[in-house]
Amino acid sequence: MTNKKEIIASIIIIGNEVLSGRTKDLNTSAISMWLNSIGISVQEVRVIPDIEKIIIATVNELRKKFDYVFTTGGIGPTHDDITAISISKAFNLKYDFHKEAFSILENYYEPGKFNEGRQKMAKMPTTANLILNPSSGAPGFYVENVFCLPGVPSILKSMLGGLNNVLIGGDPILSKTINLRTYESEIAESLTNVQNNNQDVEIGSYPFFRQGKLGVSIVLRSVDKNKIDNCNLQILEFVKAKNIKLVEID
Amino acid sequence: MTNKKEIIASIIIIGNEVLSGRTKDLNTSAISMWLNSIGISVQEVRVIPDIEKIIIATVNELRKKFDYVFTTGGIGPTHDDITAISISKAFNLKYDFHKEAFSILENYYEPGKFNEGRQKMAKMPTTANLILNPSSGAPGFYVENVFCLPGVPSILKSMLGGLNNVLIGGDPILSKTINLRTYESEIAESLTNVQNNNQDVEIGSYPFFRQGKLGVSIVLRSVDKNKIDNCNLQILEFVKAKNIKLVEID
């Protein structure tokens, strides 16, 4: 899409609760939007169960294919939190108390409250780098290009900013959305023409239903603002010619 | 988890809009909960971009590993809807107008309104089986064990029931949730003991933050109601001994 090397990432959501349908994944959206803003594009997401050999195999497959891999979930104190030990095994690193993590957690809790369960959260590859957690103490960590974050969306979000200076991104990926009161089939042919004339802009078309009304959101994505603007003009041209109404949605 | 063969499925979410973070995936949750109710367990979800060769490779990998594969998205009328042609290529089948689908759509639209864009929605593997769409006409389809559904959650949901008699499931997967006003670290050890004594029940522990209050949801899953009940009693025992409050959340 650009002359610069595209920096690509994948996300591994570790959690039976997403596979069972109990929990809707909100972390993909948070991580992807943040990565877009620093010029990294998410190309694959996998949701996998809390099973050690599957975590190890998935991490080892994806860390070779992508510049960055982010995992979410499984770094808490309970028996089903097995991300840290799985990552240790994936990288063949010693799994034990991480000195800095231990000391952060020891200071975080009141005297006498740093029990065995909480101490488990300081166990990880002993040579990992920490990802500080401004919300609830327990740090995430990274090894090479694999970044391990918690599963609770509010805590995860609070930790992303701390990685801005660690990741090397490209140009921010910009986007523009045009919302139309129409059907996809009414604009399909014109939109294909615009896409053919603008290969450097990714054009997505998404039907929506809001407040009982149908419409289509057209989303333009590129690292080049001029190319997005050009593409936008070409779309507004056929929208006007077809007498289609532009609408505002959130 | 059971003596019967476990029936396992995977879901492929086809859509740049989920990878970019613009759209949160709601379809995994809808498909998983419905599959659980007919005794099929989702073991992997992948979110992939609208790129033909990636769709083909992913479908061909997962259809061999799982009893059933469900795809969502990419069966509309626009240029970025390439699921049907990709599935045709994955199975080496002819991609052209599907007679029954064409006739359904021709009848669905008013005379003169069945334009080229809409006709594209009748193009798929010509020998595919259709998945009827009670919401908006355009059918989904399936080839062997791969089921292709639309991306719009409300439409997708309306189509699932029509597959109940097509899929062969196992015993329904049951679940019970216990919500506690506590921290995970307070119960981690006791919960590990209960899990060790109840290997046939999957026990998940999930911290929650609701209305400014912290808590933990413990989720028990099994095909055997007695085993869930047993496990539940053992958890309630340590909950009582530790003087932890049970709470109601939605």
Side-chain angles (χ1 to χ4, degrees):
Chain A
M1 307 291 274
T2 163
N3 291 329
K4 289 195 189 179
K5 187 180 169 295
E6 202 184 1
I7 314 290
I8 55 174
S10 64
I11 301 172
I12 304 173
I13 308 286
I14 299 168
N16 294 344
E17 72 279 21
V18 177
L19 290 174
S20 73
R22 181 182 172 273
T23 301
K24 290 179 184 73
D25 164 47
L26 302 175
N27 290 330
T28 292
S29 175
I31 295 174
S32 294
M33 289 199 289
W34 160 68
L35 287 177
N36 285 340
S37 75
I38 54 175
I40 299 171
S41 143
V42 174
Q43 296 283 307
E44 184 171 339
V45 179
R46 292 203 194 176
V47 188
I48 60 171
D50 308 329
I51 296 175
E52 191 181 276
K53 67 176 186 186
I54 295 179
I55 299 172
I56 294 172
T58 307
V59 166
N60 279 337
E61 180 188 342
L62 297 186
R63 71 188 174 97
K64 293 183 189 92
K65 283 171 71 177
F66 294 93
D67 297 306
Y68 295 110
V69 176
F70 296 83
T71 75
T72 76
I75 61 170
T78 52
H79 66 280
D80 54 342
D81 290 308
I82 57 169
T83 300
I85 192 165
S86 305
I87 296 290
S88 305
K89 290 185 181 177
F91 282 95
N92 226 340
L93 291 171
K94 191 178 172 197
Y95 171 77
D96 207 336
F97 288 117
H98 185 287
K99 276 188 192 161
E100 196 187 341
F102 194 92
S103 131
I104 287 172
L105 284 161
E106 202 172 23
N107 287 322
Y108 183 82
Y109 292 107
E110 287 170 43
K113 295 281 189 189
F114 188 38
N115 60 24
E116 198 181 333
R118 286 170 174 157
Q119 286 177 24
K120 187 192 162 200
M121 295 192 284
K123 278 194 165 178
M124 57 181 75
T126 52
T127 55
N129 296 288
L130 297 186
I131 306 171
L132 297 185
N133 174 350
S135 308
S136 59
F141 63 90
Y142 62 97
V143 177
E144 296 182 18
N145 62 340
V146 178
F147 293 75
C148 300
L149 296 161
V152 178
S154 58
I155 301 178
L156 177 138
K157 276 190 197 171
S158 77
M159 293 166 70
L160 298 178
L163 290 172
N164 281 347
N165 295 326
V166 177
L167 305 178
I168 298 163
D171 293 330
I173 298 148
L174 308 171
S175 77
K176 179 165 181 59
T177 302
I178 307 161
N179 298 308
L180 303 173
R181 182 72 67 224
T182 186
Y183 304 99
E184 281 195 303
S185 48
E186 297 294 333
I187 56 167
E189 204 183 328
S190 308
L191 206 56
T192 302
N193 292 337
V194 176
Q195 178 69 86
N196 290 340
N197 294 333
N198 295 271
Q199 303 275 349
D200 283 353
V201 180
E202 177 192 305
I203 307 178
S205 168
Y206 309 106
F208 65 82
F209 303 84
R210 300 277 173 99
Q211 293 143 356
K213 285 187 172 179
L214 290 154
V216 178
S217 294
I218 300 174
V219 180
L220 315 177
R221 282 165 53 86
S222 169
V223 293
D224 187 331
K225 189 175 176 302
N226 287 333
K227 287 183 177 167
I228 289 184
D229 289 345
N230 246 323
C231 198
N232 182 39
L233 285 176
Q234 291 167 40
I235 288 168
L236 293 180
E237 213 167 285
F238 79 68
V239 163
K240 197 177 169 191
K242 284 177 184 282
N243 211 8
I244 295 168
K245 206 175 144 195
L246 288 157
V247 290
E248 297 283 333
I249 59 170
D250 3 289
Chain B
M1 309 290 273
T2 163
N3 291 329
K4 288 195 191 181
K5 188 181 168 290
E6 204 184 358
I7 313 291
I8 55 173
S10 64
I11 301 172
I12 305 172
I13 309 286
I14 300 168
N16 294 343
E17 74 278 22
V18 177
L19 290 173
S20 72
R22 178 182 175 273
T23 301
K24 290 178 184 74
D25 164 46
L26 302 177
N27 290 330
T28 292
S29 176
I31 295 174
S32 294
M33 288 199 289
W34 160 68
L35 286 177
N36 285 341
S37 75
I38 53 173
I40 299 170
S41 143
V42 174
Q43 296 283 308
E44 183 170 340
V45 179
R46 293 204 192 173
V47 188
I48 58 171
D50 308 327
I51 296 175
E52 192 179 276
K53 69 178 183 185
I54 295 179
I55 299 173
I56 294 172
T58 307
V59 166
N60 280 336
E61 181 189 342
L62 297 187
R63 71 189 174 99
K64 291 182 192 91
K65 282 172 68 178
F66 294 93
D67 297 307
Y68 296 109
V69 176
F70 295 83
T71 75
T72 77
I75 61 170
T78 54
H79 66 281
D80 53 344
D81 290 308
I82 58 169
T83 300
I85 193 165
S86 305
I87 297 289
S88 305
K89 290 184 182 177
F91 282 94
N92 227 338
L93 291 171
K94 191 177 172 198
Y95 172 76
D96 205 338
F97 289 116
H98 186 286
K99 275 187 191 162
E100 197 188 340
F102 194 93
S103 131
I104 287 172
L105 286 160
E106 201 173 25
N107 287 322
Y108 183 82
Y109 292 107
E110 287 170 40
K113 295 282 187 189
F114 189 37
N115 61 24
E116 199 180 334
R118 288 171 172 159
Q119 286 177 24
K120 187 192 161 200
M121 294 191 284
K123 277 193 168 178
M124 59 181 76
T126 52
T127 54
N129 296 289
L130 298 186
I131 305 171
L132 298 185
N133 174 350
S135 306
S136 60
F141 63 90
Y142 63 97
V143 177
E144 295 181 16
N145 62 339
V146 179
F147 293 76
C148 300
L149 295 160
V152 177
S154 57
I155 301 178
L156 175 138
K157 275 189 198 171
S158 76
M159 293 167 70
L160 298 179
L163 289 172
N164 281 348
N165 295 325
V166 176
L167 304 178
I168 297 164
D171 292 330
I173 298 148
L174 307 172
S175 78
K176 177 165 183 60
T177 302
I178 307 160
N179 298 307
L180 303 173
R181 182 73 68 225
T182 187
Y183 304 99
E184 280 196 305
S185 49
E186 296 295 334
I187 55 165
E189 205 184 328
S190 308
L191 207 54
T192 302
N193 292 337
V194 176
Q195 178 71 86
N196 290 341
N197 294 332
N198 295 270
Q199 302 277 348
D200 283 353
V201 179
E202 178 191 306
I203 306 178
S205 167
Y206 310 107
F208 66 81
F209 303 85
R210 300 278 172 97
Q211 293 144 356
K213 287 189 173 176
L214 290 154
V216 178
S217 294
I218 301 174
V219 180
L220 315 178
R221 282 164 54 84
S222 169
V223 292
D224 187 331
K225 189 174 176 303
N226 287 332
K227 288 182 175 166
I228 290 184
D229 289 344
N230 245 324
C231 198
N232 182 40
L233 285 177
Q234 290 168 39
I235 289 169
L236 293 181
E237 213 168 285
F238 80 68
V239 163
K240 198 178 169 191
K242 284 176 184 283
N243 212 7
I244 294 169
K245 206 176 143 198
L246 288 157
V247 289
E248 296 284 331
I249 59 170
D250 3 286

